Amino acid sequence: PVTGGGAGEAEAADWLASGGGASSVVGSQVELTLRLLQLLTEGHNITMQNYLRHQPGLHRPVDLISAVLRFVTAAPVNGFTVAAVTAGLTTLAEFVQCPCRPNQRLMVDAGVCHRLRILLEFGSRRSQEVAWMRRNKVHCGATAADDDAD
C-alpha cells in the first residue's frame, strides 16, 4: 500500500475507490493537472522527481507521487475513467525515469504493474488506450525488474 500524505489524500483515495468520482472525472482538471506534473519532471529531472515526493523544510509536505499512485490504483475502471487513469500512468512513467529509485520503489510497492494488467483486460474493447498501455506495461515491468535487482 502507498503510505504518506495527509487526510485529504486518504479522502480522495476513498472517494475514488468507492466509485463516487467515476463520472465527475470526465470534464475535470485531472488530466491537465497530471500533464503539469509530467512536464515538471520531464527530461529525467531527478531533483523535481524527488521534490514531488518530499519537500524538505515545509511544515506540511505533500507526497504527490503517492497521490498519483493512489489515484491510479483506486480509480474504478470504466469508460469514464480510462483516459484519466491512462494520464496517471503516463505521469508515473515520468516520475520514475532517470532512474529515480525511491519513486520506483513506491510504484512497485503500490502494485502498479498489477493495475496495468487489470486495465489491459478492461481495455481490450478500447483500442487506443490499449495500445498505449501495452507499450507502457513493458516500461513498468522493466522498472520493477530493475528495482528488484538492486
Side-chain angles (χ1 to χ4, degrees):
V2 179
T3 58
E9 286 180 27
E11 290 170 6
D14 290 343
W15 175 72
L16 285 169
S18 71
S23 61
S24 60
V25 169
V26 177
S28 72
Q29 300 300 313
V30 171
E31 291 177 57
L32 289 175
T33 303
L34 291 169
R35 181 65 180 138
L36 172 65
L37 293 173
Q38 287 173 38
L39 293 172
L40 288 173
T41 57
E42 200 165 73
H44 307 282
N45 187 340
I46 190 76
T47 302
M48 187 58 82
Q49 289 169 333
N50 286 321
Y51 188 79
L52 290 177
R53 188 184 61 262
H54 176 70
Q55 304 84 39
L58 290 184
H59 176 66
R60 295 186 71 185
V62 176
D63 182 355
L64 292 171
I65 309 301
S66 291
V68 173
L69 282 166
R70 279 194 183 106
F71 172 73
V72 167
T73 58
V77 179
N78 60 48
F80 294 112
T81 60
V82 169
V85 172
T86 301
L89 291 168
T90 303
T91 303
L92 290 174
E94 287 295 334
F95 289 166
V96 299
Q97 292 179 15
C98 192
C100 183
R101 298 287 186 215
N103 291 351
Q104 287 177 341
R105 176 51 46 201
L106 279 174
M107 193 169 100
V108 169
D109 291 346
V112 170
C113 291
H114 173 71
R115 185 63 167 179
L116 274 170
R117 186 186 56 76
I118 293 168
L119 289 167
L120 283 169
E121 290 170 1
F122 170 78
S124 64
R125 299 179 304 267
R126 302 177 61 92
S127 61
Q128 186 176 7
E129 287 91 353
V130 171
W132 181 90
M133 287 186 268
R134 283 191 178 135
R135 285 192 307 271
N136 284 282
K137 185 174 182 183
V138 173
H139 176 72
C140 178
T143 298
D146 183 44
D147 193 48
D148 287 341
D150 289 342

